[in-house]
Amino acid sequence: MAPKIKQITSHLDQEINLFEPGQKLMGIDIGSTLIKIAVIKEAPVGTRLVGIGLSEILPPPSNETDEETKTRISLSLKEALSQVKTKAKKVCTIINTPSLSIKPISLPAMPEEELKESVKWEMEQNINFPINTATLDFLISGETIRSGAKNLELEVVAAKTEEIKKHMQIYLQNKLSIETINIHSFCLWNVFQKSNQWKEDDTIALLNLGAKTSTINIFSNNILRFNREIFFGGETITAALIKELNIPAQEVKKLIDNYGLSDKSPQYEKISESLKQLIAQIDRSFGYYKAQFHIERVDRLVIYGGLSKLINLDKFLSEELGIFAEIGEPFNGLLFEQKSFANLNDFASFFSIAIGAAINSGIAKRVNLLPAEFRKDKKNKLKKTLIRIVPLIVIGALIFIYVTLINKEKMLIREEKTKNDIINVWKNQQDLERKIKFLDSIPATQKSWIEIFKGISSVIPEGVRLDHISLSETNKTIIINGAGQSNILIIEMVRKLESLPYFNSVKLESVEEISAEQFTIINFRLKIGKR
């Protein structure tokens, strides 16, 4: 039975500013016995947990049809969705089908379209079904130099399109818009990199212990090098104890939850005996990986999944495998009030995959096995959205420019009044003529500055903002302070400013890089000389 989430506040969203930028993504993990949902928002201040949902999938009756299976799972999905209480409809799903193939490959650097064709050709040699029946995607995870040439390190994922469409049916049936279709291994990595610190050259094994099956995933230099499914899960231990003790399953589960592998456990020997099957499979996987990649050891074993709650499991695996083992904490690194949940430890271990599916920051791994025909629909929706949004952005920009010019005009009017007052008290004819001449030039100056501001606004690239502009008519200089997402964007703006006919010099006086946990900002100061 799924643990109840004792949520003290009905909406985690209550604490969040409604105008805070950032898109909500809903990660949905449909397992063999539970459905887990996590809604994540990547905000400027960090990764927010917006909502979670957990529901049990009822056991299937005998001779169940495919339609009956869909209905049974759909009921559980609706129950989990009702707990989330958010309007986020864009979901990130996780697929695990018989045809799923994951392969790290290395290819010479080349243009994007050529790279796609090369990846397609490489995978054709590594899958046992026709490539034209497959949907594939890849990540560029790193670069290496070999014999003086740059190579790209890729992680490629492929599966039968027919199986992917079958996977999508349950979500489309519930009117959910699928944003991405990712894989378990990458979702585990996403939640690990969000909640842990590690050395880039560490070899890290992520173990996900499910109800029926488990997966071992080995990462080195941030790249998935090895992946294997193990037919062992929490139900394996439960079945062994039911056979041994001849008591109902609920009593066995209670016994496992309360004692686990503690010294007081009356069934320590039987549980540890069952776990020896898992130990043997992990050890065999480590041995193969070490031989294949010529390494001496695996540095860390991080345990996720419902079975990770088993008391002293990390200690037991450490002793048996001779490796540092630890329990993964999927909620670490997320922004939320922990007091919102009275029993977080009871259910936290179930949500690693769902949270990892929705994370889109740091060095998150996100492939998308959404078939091409559905991506086309998403592009059309994006175009329609842009058609609605772009005019609003243009209008906002015009309003900003208009207000700036009005303020400039008011300032010039005030300056003109002050100068007129000064002229009235000047007695020297020569000074009076000089001031009058200066006043006569003001309209031309005003027009010149308006053209200059329009020119500056036309060359600001996306990703760069201007925080402060100061000007000196006497020295004919403009000082601009601002910030950009990268040095390349700032240099691009400087070059465009140099091409404008109003300036004789554009000097980048200072650049300061400010790094935060999730992002980097480049502050800059420009000094521009007016012709």
Side-chain angles (χ1 to χ4, degrees), residues 294-329:
H294 308 289
I295 65 165
E296 295 182 358
R297 64 191 177 90
V298 175
D299 297 289
R300 292 170 69 180
L301 174 64
V302 187
I303 311 160
Y304 293 97
L307 189 57
S308 67
K309 293 196 307 175
L310 188 70
I311 297 171
N312 287 343
L313 176 63
D314 53 342
K315 180 181 176 182
F316 180 80
L317 293 180
S318 291
E319 292 173 353
E320 292 292 326
L321 294 168
I323 182 177
F324 175 69
E326 59 190 297
I327 303 300
E329 301 287 348

Short mmCIF file of all heavy atoms in Angstrom, two decimals, residues 294-329:
data_model
loop_
_atom_site.label_atom_id
_atom_site.label_comp_id
_atom_site.label_asym_id
_atom_site.label_seq_id
_atom_site.Cartn_x
_atom_site.Cartn_y
_atom_site.Cartn_z
N HIS A 294 38.95 -0.84 -18.23
CA HIS A 294 40.30 -0.87 -17.65
C HIS A 294 40.43 0.10 -16.47
O HIS A 294 41.34 0.94 -16.41
CB HIS A 294 41.35 -0.53 -18.72
CG HIS A 294 41.23 -1.36 -19.96
ND1 HIS A 294 41.54 -2.71 -19.99
CD2 HIS A 294 40.79 -1.04 -21.21
CE1 HIS A 294 41.32 -3.18 -21.21
NE2 HIS A 294 40.85 -2.20 -21.97
N ILE A 295 39.51 0.01 -15.53
CA ILE A 295 39.60 0.82 -14.31
C ILE A 295 39.72 -0.10 -13.10
O ILE A 295 39.37 -1.30 -13.17
CB ILE A 295 38.38 1.74 -14.14
CG1 ILE A 295 37.10 0.91 -13.94
CG2 ILE A 295 38.22 2.68 -15.31
CD1 ILE A 295 35.95 1.73 -13.41
N GLU A 296 40.23 0.43 -12.00
CA GLU A 296 40.49 -0.39 -10.82
C GLU A 296 39.29 -0.47 -9.88
O GLU A 296 39.09 -1.45 -9.20
CB GLU A 296 41.69 0.16 -10.06
CG GLU A 296 43.00 0.06 -10.85
CD GLU A 296 44.18 0.58 -10.05
OE1 GLU A 296 43.95 1.03 -8.90
OE2 GLU A 296 45.31 0.52 -10.56
N ARG A 297 38.49 0.63 -9.82
CA ARG A 297 37.42 0.62 -8.82
C ARG A 297 36.27 1.53 -9.23
O ARG A 297 36.43 2.41 -10.08
CB ARG A 297 37.96 1.07 -7.46
CG ARG A 297 38.44 2.50 -7.44
CD ARG A 297 39.21 2.82 -6.16
NE ARG A 297 39.73 4.17 -6.17
CZ ARG A 297 39.08 5.22 -5.72
NH1 ARG A 297 37.88 5.08 -5.22
NH2 ARG A 297 39.62 6.42 -5.74
N VAL A 298 35.13 1.29 -8.59
CA VAL A 298 33.99 2.20 -8.65
C VAL A 298 34.02 3.01 -7.36
O VAL A 298 34.13 2.46 -6.28
CB VAL A 298 32.67 1.43 -8.78
CG1 VAL A 298 31.48 2.37 -8.73
CG2 VAL A 298 32.65 0.61 -10.07
N ASP A 299 33.95 4.35 -7.47
CA ASP A 299 34.16 5.21 -6.30
C ASP A 299 32.97 5.28 -5.36
O ASP A 299 33.15 5.30 -4.13
CB ASP A 299 34.51 6.64 -6.76
CG ASP A 299 35.81 6.67 -7.55
OD1 ASP A 299 36.86 6.49 -6.93
OD2 ASP A 299 35.76 6.87 -8.78
N ARG A 300 31.75 5.32 -5.90
CA ARG A 300 30.57 5.50 -5.05
C ARG A 300 29.41 4.68 -5.57
O ARG A 300 29.27 4.49 -6.78
CB ARG A 300 30.14 6.97 -5.01
CG ARG A 300 31.09 7.88 -4.31
CD ARG A 300 30.71 9.34 -4.53
NE ARG A 300 29.47 9.74 -3.88
CZ ARG A 300 28.96 10.96 -3.96
NH1 ARG A 300 29.58 11.90 -4.65
NH2 ARG A 300 27.83 11.26 -3.33
N LEU A 301 28.59 4.22 -4.64
CA LEU A 301 27.33 3.56 -4.99
C LEU A 301 26.22 4.34 -4.28
O LEU A 301 26.19 4.43 -3.05
CB LEU A 301 27.32 2.11 -4.51
CG LEU A 301 25.99 1.35 -4.69
CD1 LEU A 301 25.65 1.20 -6.16
CD2 LEU A 301 26.05 -0.03 -4.03
N VAL A 302 25.31 4.94 -5.07
CA VAL A 302 24.21 5.73 -4.51
C VAL A 302 22.91 4.98 -4.79
O VAL A 302 22.63 4.61 -5.93
CB VAL A 302 24.16 7.15 -5.13
CG1 VAL A 302 23.12 8.00 -4.41
CG2 VAL A 302 25.53 7.81 -5.06
N ILE A 303 22.13 4.77 -3.72
CA ILE A 303 20.95 3.89 -3.79
C ILE A 303 19.68 4.72 -3.79
O ILE A 303 19.46 5.56 -2.91
CB ILE A 303 20.93 2.91 -2.58
CG1 ILE A 303 22.31 2.24 -2.43
CG2 ILE A 303 19.83 1.88 -2.75
CD1 ILE A 303 22.53 1.65 -1.06
N TYR A 304 18.82 4.47 -4.78
CA TYR A 304 17.52 5.14 -4.90
C TYR A 304 16.42 4.09 -4.97
O TYR A 304 16.69 2.90 -5.06
CB TYR A 304 17.49 6.02 -6.15
CG TYR A 304 18.42 7.20 -6.12
CD1 TYR A 304 19.68 7.14 -6.73
CD2 TYR A 304 18.05 8.38 -5.49
CE1 TYR A 304 20.54 8.24 -6.71
CE2 TYR A 304 18.89 9.48 -5.47
CZ TYR A 304 20.13 9.40 -6.08
OH TYR A 304 20.98 10.48 -6.05
N GLY A 305 15.17 4.54 -4.96
CA GLY A 305 14.03 3.65 -5.11
C GLY A 305 13.41 3.28 -3.78
O GLY A 305 13.97 3.51 -2.70
N GLY A 306 12.22 2.67 -3.85
CA GLY A 306 11.47 2.35 -2.63
C GLY A 306 12.21 1.45 -1.67
O GLY A 306 12.11 1.62 -0.45
N LEU A 307 12.98 0.48 -2.18
CA LEU A 307 13.69 -0.46 -1.31
C LEU A 307 14.86 0.20 -0.57
O LEU A 307 15.38 -0.35 0.39
CB LEU A 307 14.19 -1.66 -2.13
CG LEU A 307 14.77 -2.85 -1.36
CD1 LEU A 307 13.76 -3.38 -0.35
CD2 LEU A 307 15.21 -3.95 -2.31
N SER A 308 15.27 1.40 -1.01
CA SER A 308 16.38 2.09 -0.33
C SER A 308 16.01 2.45 1.10
O SER A 308 16.89 2.78 1.91
CB SER A 308 16.78 3.35 -1.11
OG SER A 308 15.75 4.32 -1.07
N LYS A 309 14.69 2.41 1.45
CA LYS A 309 14.25 2.69 2.83
C LYS A 309 14.62 1.56 3.79
O LYS A 309 14.53 1.73 5.00
CB LYS A 309 12.73 2.87 2.87
CG LYS A 309 12.21 4.10 2.16
CD LYS A 309 10.77 4.39 2.59
CE LYS A 309 9.88 3.17 2.43
NZ LYS A 309 8.52 3.39 2.96
N LEU A 310 15.01 0.40 3.27
CA LEU A 310 15.33 -0.74 4.11
C LEU A 310 16.43 -0.37 5.11
O LEU A 310 17.51 0.07 4.71
CB LEU A 310 15.78 -1.92 3.24
CG LEU A 310 15.97 -3.27 3.95
CD1 LEU A 310 14.62 -3.83 4.39
CD2 LEU A 310 16.69 -4.25 3.03
N ILE A 311 16.15 -0.51 6.37
CA ILE A 311 17.08 -0.10 7.43
C ILE A 311 18.44 -0.80 7.25
O ILE A 311 18.51 -2.01 7.07
CB ILE A 311 16.49 -0.42 8.82
CG1 ILE A 311 15.21 0.40 9.04
CG2 ILE A 311 17.50 -0.11 9.92
CD1 ILE A 311 14.44 0.01 10.28
N ASN A 312 19.52 0.01 7.29
CA ASN A 312 20.92 -0.46 7.20
C ASN A 312 21.28 -1.08 5.85
O ASN A 312 22.30 -1.79 5.75
CB ASN A 312 21.24 -1.47 8.32
CG ASN A 312 21.37 -0.81 9.68
OD1 ASN A 312 21.53 0.40 9.76
ND2 ASN A 312 21.30 -1.60 10.74
N LEU A 313 20.49 -0.82 4.82
CA LEU A 313 20.82 -1.38 3.50
C LEU A 313 22.14 -0.84 3.00
O LEU A 313 22.96 -1.59 2.43
CB LEU A 313 19.71 -1.04 2.50
CG LEU A 313 19.96 -1.49 1.05
CD1 LEU A 313 20.05 -3.02 0.98
CD2 LEU A 313 18.86 -0.99 0.12
N ASP A 314 22.40 0.47 3.17
CA ASP A 314 23.67 1.05 2.70
C ASP A 314 24.86 0.41 3.40
O ASP A 314 25.89 0.11 2.76
CB ASP A 314 23.66 2.57 2.89
CG ASP A 314 23.30 2.99 4.30
OD1 ASP A 314 22.74 2.16 5.05
OD2 ASP A 314 23.57 4.16 4.65
N LYS A 315 24.74 0.19 4.70
CA LYS A 315 25.83 -0.44 5.46
C LYS A 315 26.07 -1.87 4.97
O LYS A 315 27.22 -2.31 4.79
CB LYS A 315 25.47 -0.44 6.95
CG LYS A 315 26.51 -1.06 7.85
CD LYS A 315 26.04 -1.04 9.31
CE LYS A 315 27.06 -1.75 10.20
NZ LYS A 315 26.60 -1.78 11.62
N PHE A 316 24.97 -2.60 4.72
CA PHE A 316 25.08 -3.99 4.26
C PHE A 316 25.77 -4.07 2.90
O PHE A 316 26.68 -4.88 2.69
CB PHE A 316 23.68 -4.60 4.19
CG PHE A 316 23.65 -6.03 3.73
CD1 PHE A 316 23.94 -7.06 4.61
CD2 PHE A 316 23.35 -6.35 2.41
CE1 PHE A 316 23.91 -8.39 4.18
CE2 PHE A 316 23.32 -7.66 1.98
CZ PHE A 316 23.60 -8.69 2.86
N LEU A 317 25.36 -3.21 1.95
CA LEU A 317 25.96 -3.22 0.62
C LEU A 317 27.43 -2.80 0.66
O LEU A 317 28.26 -3.33 -0.09
CB LEU A 317 25.18 -2.31 -0.32
CG LEU A 317 23.75 -2.76 -0.67
CD1 LEU A 317 23.09 -1.77 -1.61
CD2 LEU A 317 23.76 -4.15 -1.30
N SER A 318 27.75 -1.85 1.53
CA SER A 318 29.15 -1.40 1.67
C SER A 318 30.04 -2.56 2.10
O SER A 318 31.13 -2.77 1.55
CB SER A 318 29.26 -0.26 2.69
OG SER A 318 28.68 0.91 2.22
N GLU A 319 29.57 -3.31 3.10
CA GLU A 319 30.38 -4.43 3.62
C GLU A 319 30.50 -5.56 2.60
O GLU A 319 31.57 -6.15 2.44
CB GLU A 319 29.75 -4.94 4.91
CG GLU A 319 29.83 -3.94 6.06
CD GLU A 319 29.05 -4.39 7.29
OE1 GLU A 319 28.34 -5.42 7.17
OE2 GLU A 319 29.15 -3.73 8.34
N GLU A 320 29.41 -5.86 1.91
CA GLU A 320 29.42 -6.99 0.98
C GLU A 320 30.21 -6.68 -0.31
O GLU A 320 30.86 -7.56 -0.87
CB GLU A 320 27.99 -7.37 0.61
CG GLU A 320 27.18 -7.96 1.74
CD GLU A 320 27.69 -9.34 2.15
OE1 GLU A 320 28.16 -10.08 1.27
OE2 GLU A 320 27.64 -9.66 3.35
N LEU A 321 30.12 -5.42 -0.77
CA LEU A 321 30.75 -5.06 -2.05
C LEU A 321 32.11 -4.39 -1.88
O LEU A 321 32.85 -4.23 -2.85
CB LEU A 321 29.83 -4.11 -2.84
CG LEU A 321 28.51 -4.71 -3.33
CD1 LEU A 321 27.58 -3.61 -3.82
CD2 LEU A 321 28.76 -5.73 -4.43
N GLY A 322 32.44 -3.97 -0.65
CA GLY A 322 33.71 -3.28 -0.41
C GLY A 322 33.76 -1.94 -1.11
O GLY A 322 34.80 -1.56 -1.67
N ILE A 323 32.67 -1.22 -1.09
CA ILE A 323 32.58 0.08 -1.76
C ILE A 323 31.77 1.02 -0.88
O ILE A 323 30.90 0.57 -0.11
CB ILE A 323 31.91 -0.06 -3.15
CG1 ILE A 323 31.87 1.26 -3.89
CG2 ILE A 323 30.52 -0.64 -3.02
CD1 ILE A 323 31.27 1.15 -5.28
N PHE A 324 32.02 2.31 -0.97
CA PHE A 324 31.25 3.28 -0.21
C PHE A 324 29.85 3.37 -0.80
O PHE A 324 29.66 3.72 -1.96
CB PHE A 324 31.91 4.66 -0.25
CG PHE A 324 31.11 5.73 0.41
CD1 PHE A 324 30.94 5.75 1.78
CD2 PHE A 324 30.49 6.73 -0.35
CE1 PHE A 324 30.18 6.73 2.40
CE2 PHE A 324 29.74 7.71 0.26
CZ PHE A 324 29.58 7.71 1.64
N ALA A 325 28.84 3.03 0.01
CA ALA A 325 27.45 3.06 -0.44
C ALA A 325 26.68 4.07 0.42
O ALA A 325 26.94 4.22 1.61
CB ALA A 325 26.80 1.68 -0.31
N GLU A 326 25.74 4.76 -0.21
CA GLU A 326 24.95 5.77 0.49
C GLU A 326 23.54 5.79 -0.08
O GLU A 326 23.30 5.39 -1.22
CB GLU A 326 25.58 7.15 0.32
CG GLU A 326 25.71 7.58 -1.13
CD GLU A 326 26.55 8.83 -1.31
OE1 GLU A 326 26.14 9.88 -0.78
OE2 GLU A 326 27.60 8.74 -1.98
N ILE A 327 22.59 6.26 0.74
CA ILE A 327 21.20 6.37 0.32
C ILE A 327 21.00 7.71 -0.36
O ILE A 327 21.35 8.76 0.19
CB ILE A 327 20.24 6.24 1.52
CG1 ILE A 327 20.49 4.92 2.26
CG2 ILE A 327 18.80 6.33 1.05
CD1 ILE A 327 20.30 3.68 1.43
N GLY A 328 20.45 7.72 -1.56
CA GLY A 328 20.20 8.96 -2.29
C GLY A 328 19.07 9.76 -1.64
O GLY A 328 18.12 9.19 -1.11
N GLU A 329 19.18 11.08 -1.72
CA GLU A 329 18.17 11.99 -1.15
C GLU A 329 17.59 12.83 -2.28
O GLU A 329 18.08 13.91 -2.58
CB GLU A 329 18.79 12.88 -0.08
CG GLU A 329 19.41 12.15 1.09
CD GLU A 329 18.35 11.54 2.00
OE1 GLU A 329 17.16 11.90 1.85
OE2 GLU A 329 18.71 10.71 2.85
#
